[in-house]
Every structure is written in C-alpha cells, then in structure tokens.
Amino acid sequence: MENLIHSIITLDNQEKYIVLNQATYQGNSYYFVAKVTDNEEDILEEFKLLELVEESGEKRVQLVKDEKIIALLTKYFQKEETE
C-alpha cells in the first residue's frame, strides 16, 4: 500500500480530505480522513473512514459502511494515536 498519510484526496463531489492514518485489513486499504477547506489550508472537524476499491481497472475511495469494519478500524486508529 502506498503511504498516503498527509496527502489530500479529492472525492467525486470535489470535497477534499487529508489522510490522517491508513491501514490494511484482509487485503483492503482503509483511510481515516478529515475534511479540509477548498484552499487546503485548514482542517475541518468532519471525519470519515474510506476504503480503496477498484472498479473497471480504476481506483477510487468509498465510505466504509460495514459496522464491524468501522468498529475494528476505530479501535486500531485509536491504538495508533496512543503509541
């Protein structure tokens, strides 16, 4: 997995997010992100968990909706913060 921490991801709806942390679980890549302003100078208090998916040979991210994965990643990312 390519290290995207501190990189800006622009979603299809043109919202921009900075990658705060990332993880791989069962071969899938996940990102903990925070929304940034359009000029990318300020971080807003809007957070998401995104999953990298590949469709028709193109990579994109989508919102994680599986509650079990959300709980697992939340514990993992909280543990990373305390170390």
Side-chain angles (χ1 to χ4, degrees), residues 16-34:
K16 295 180 180 185
Y17 290 83
I18 187 168
V19 178
L20 301 175
N21 208 337
Q22 65 185 51
T24 301
Y25 178 68
Q26 295 185 338
N28 297 318
S29 299
Y30 297 94
Y31 306 100
F32 177 59
V33 299

Side-chain angles (χ1 to χ4, degrees), residues 38-74:
D38 288 338
N39 64 6
E40 302 176 9
E41 292 185 12
D42 294 307
I43 296 175
L44 306 174
E45 290 189 36
E46 185 176 326
F47 304 96
K48 295 182 185 237
L49 287 172
L50 303 176
E51 177 181 5
L52 182 66
V53 294
E54 191 169 333
E55 291 179 353
S56 304
E58 290 188 30
K59 293 181 181 180
R60 64 178 191 83
V61 291
Q62 67 183 20
L63 189 62
V64 177
K65 295 181 182 177
D66 183 317
E67 293 296 325
K68 290 179 184 177
I69 298 293
I70 292 170
L72 179 87
L73 291 173
T74 300

